[in-house]
Amino acid sequence: MTIAPTIYAQRRARLLTQMQRGIAIIPTAPEVARNADTHYSYRHDSNFYYLSGFTEPEAVLVLVAGDEPQAILFCREKNLEREIWDGHRFGPDAAREQFGFDAAYSIAQLDEKLAELMGNQPALFYPLGGDAAWDQRILKLRSAVQEKKRSGIRAPDEIRDVRALLNEMRLFKDKHELDIMRRAATISTAAHKRAMQFTRPDRFEYQVEAELLHEFCSHGARHPAYTSIVAGGANACVLHYVGNDAKLRDGDLLLIDAGCEVDGYASDITRTFPVNGKFSAAQKDVYEIVLAAQAAAIAAALPSQTWDAPHDAALRVLAQGFVDLKLCHGSVDEVLESESYKKFYMHRTGHWLGMDVHDVGDYKIGDNWRALQPGMVLTVEPGCYIRPADDVPLALWNIGIRIEDDVVITAQGNEVLTDAAPKTVADIEELMRNA
Ligand code: GLY
Ligand code: MN
Ligand code: MN
């Protein structure tokens, strides 16, 4: 926990104020089996962590709003036998003290205590539909409380998705969160540099992936924020390529979309560069268009602009570029109107970034794209993916390029967290020349 317990307590207090009345139940994520006796590396639930800072599995946060608000943690009990096998557990007493909850109980008491705590609460706030097993369990508990109505105990009438409140809180990053995201970005930019310096023809995509992971882990980022995409040549035209098992070929480009997670916060960077260290003329032509589109998008990521401004700015540059390259035909307005650019650019230009790589937060308020505001963090990631086709110039076949940076909206404009990863043709070629 690098953020002080008081900050988590302030977040809980803000949520409690917004709830006004009722009870919130926020479980952490389950452990997930990979195969016999083996689990995927454990990752806590982001909402639970945002409000608790607690990273153990088998834990639930309960908040009771009203005149005497309460924050209660349910977690695993101390258990010497289990701790010999699996490691340290806080146990309720130490967790309450160190994380600053009003009360803490064993997770084994959850159903019994929740049945009490839910009684006579007007509203139940819960991440509805987030996990089928939890949905069933919570609804069953509510039914059990309903059974007590002849004793004068009422179950919550209203069930609300607590994420509606939490998503909006999480969308605006405070200075503690931004500090962590800056650290994640710094480690990830170093990893991209390392990958550029390591890359050569005949090395394998997974060997480059190993360099990325090495750099992440060496600097304390134990996990990538998402599975790294290391895509040589035509593989770059597969948007979610994660096979990472092909040999890199002289003359191809390599697209790497990789970022580490630090203290629960993601970074998300894409760079595309030549396997042999020198862009061909055709590769450079396409690359410069994507780079210009990204510059235009970053220049539009400003407070007072709306969410779609960076996307629109990138699209206009890409559309002009696609006309120049004879990939699309007609005027820029016609290309935009007909959406013929979608054959080569089929995704949007970014997403919110935070604890989740595709972070929470609405993109529209009502029918309108929302305004960008200080504290929001987004990615800016235009691309161009050219699959072989009869009506596509042969020299451009299988060129796949994306350039992605992480951008914080500030009062004055924006801050690009991931600038240290080279992205001009000259900077990339220089770094690779000196490898
Ligand atoms: N790495 C996932 C994305 O760029 O959205
Ligand atoms: Mn992204
Ligand atoms: Mn990405």
Side-chain angles (χ1 to χ4, degrees):
M1 185 172 41
T2 54
I3 294 182
T6 48
I7 301 296
Y8 292 100
Q10 284 168 19
R11 293 176 184 166
R12 294 193 291 269
R14 275 172 58 208
L15 179 60
L16 281 160
T17 305
Q18 291 180 54
M19 287 164 58
Q20 295 181 357
R21 64 212 176 90
I23 180 170
I25 303 173
I26 301 162
T28 196
E31 291 176 288
V32 181
R34 182 174 187 274
N35 56 344
D37 293 343
T38 304
H39 287 81
Y40 285 105
S41 167
Y42 182 68
R43 171 55 157 76
H44 52 260
D45 174 78
S46 296
N47 286 326
F48 173 85
Y49 181 71
Y50 180 74
L51 295 169
S52 68
F54 196 71
T55 55
E56 286 183 20
E58 296 188 85
V60 176
L61 176 66
V62 176
L63 300 176
V64 185
D67 295 338
E68 286 177 34
Q70 280 188 79
I72 305 165
L73 180 76
F74 290 84
C75 66
R76 300 183 304 194
E77 274 178 280
K78 294 293 287 176
N79 179 328
L80 184 58
E81 168 75 8
R82 287 314 326 158
E83 290 185 58
I84 287 171
W85 286 87
D86 302 329
H88 173 260
R89 304 170 165 198
F90 278 94
D93 291 342
R96 181 182 50 72
E97 203 174 304
Q98 293 187 37
F99 290 79
F101 299 105
D102 298 308
Y105 301 103
S106 161
I107 190 74
Q109 293 175 272
L110 181 71
D111 288 0
E112 172 203 335
K113 290 275 180 201
L114 270 185
E116 279 169 32
L117 290 164
M118 240 193 243
N120 294 326
Q121 290 295 339
L124 169 59
F125 292 77
Y126 166 74
L128 261 177
D131 179 293
W134 272 111
D135 283 358
Q136 257 191 349
R137 184 167 172 184
I138 298 294
L139 290 177
K140 206 167 139 198
L141 273 170
R142 181 170 168 270
S143 301
V145 179
Q146 277 171 328
E147 296 291 310
K148 297 189 204 165
K149 66 176 179 233
R150 278 178 295 278
S151 318
I153 297 173
R154 287 176 63 90
D157 283 333
E158 200 185 332
I159 304 184
R160 290 182 53 185
D161 193 335
V162 69
R163 289 172 297 189
L165 301 174
L166 278 172
N167 293 355
E168 200 60 17
M169 289 172 66
R170 281 177 50 190
L171 178 57
F172 295 89
K173 276 72 180 173
D174 63 26
K175 73 176 173 45
H176 310 281
E177 294 178 289
L178 291 175
D179 281 348
I180 297 172
M181 292 186 78
R182 274 188 201 99
R183 265 199 291 139
T186 300
I187 296 169
S188 295
T189 56
H192 277 264
K193 281 198 210 169
R194 184 184 179 109
M196 285 179 193
Q197 290 179 300
F198 173 83
T199 295
R200 314 228 180 306
D202 295 336
R203 288 193 163 155
F204 282 84
E205 291 165 344
Y206 50 72
Q207 292 177 309
V208 181
E209 183 180 18
E211 296 297 310
L212 295 162
L213 296 176
H214 179 98
E215 192 72 19
F216 293 167
C217 213
S218 309
H219 293 89
R222 290 284 318 289
H223 301 288
Y226 54 91
T227 306
S228 306
I229 295 171
V230 183
N235 294 335
C237 296
V238 179
L239 296 179
H240 292 161
Y241 176 80
V242 287
N244 299 358
D245 57 359
K247 196 187 253 192
L248 298 171
R249 295 189 330 183
D250 201 349
D252 278 352
L253 291 174
L254 176 61
L255 181 155
I256 297 179
D257 184 344
C260 65
E261 182 175 289
V262 171
D263 292 339
Y265 286 81
S267 53
D268 182 9
I269 304 179
T270 308
R271 289 291 183 266
T272 310
F273 54 93
V275 166
N276 63 14
K278 186 112 186 81
F279 285 86
S280 72
Q283 289 166 350
K284 190 171 162 190
D285 286 346
V286 184
Y287 189 87
E288 294 290 9
I289 290 166
V290 178
L291 188 62
Q294 204 220 18
I298 291 174
L302 300 172
S304 79
Q305 292 281 4
T306 54
W307 165 258
D308 62 332
H311 182 59
D312 284 350
L315 270 189
R316 206 148 256 288
V317 176
L318 289 174
Q320 179 66 61
F322 294 172
V323 171
D324 296 344
L325 291 172
K326 304 200 174 3
L327 292 169
C328 292
H329 305 283
S331 68
V332 167
D333 286 331
E334 282 163 356
V335 169
L336 294 174
E337 175 69 27
S338 66
E339 300 189 338
S340 59
Y341 65 82
K342 281 196 171 167
K343 187 168 165 193
F344 308 103
Y345 181 50
M346 57 297 279
H347 59 76
R348 290 191 59 90
T349 303
H351 49 82
W352 302 131
L353 182 72
M355 291 198 287
D356 296 314
V357 64
H358 291 175
D359 206 32
V360 296
D362 289 334
Y363 292 92
K364 280 190 169 179
I365 304 281
D367 289 337
N368 300 315
W369 295 111
R370 75 185 299 159
L372 296 175
Q373 290 173 262
M376 292 174 164
V377 184
L378 60 144
T379 65
V380 178
E381 51 179 305
C384 174
Y385 314 91
I386 310 174
R387 286 173 171 270
D390 289 344
D391 55 350
V392 167
L394 188 64
L396 304 180
W397 285 17
N398 294 321
I399 290 180
I401 293 170
R402 179 164 64 255
I403 307 171
E404 175 174 28
D405 282 296
D406 303 345
V407 177
V408 185
I409 305 297
T410 62
Q412 293 74 33
N414 67 45
E415 174 188 349
V416 180
L417 300 181
T418 45
D419 252 351
K423 61 182 174 182
T424 64
V425 166
D427 287 350
I428 290 172
E429 290 187 349
E430 189 190 332
L431 182 71
M432 294 184 75
R433 207 169 26 246
N434 295 324

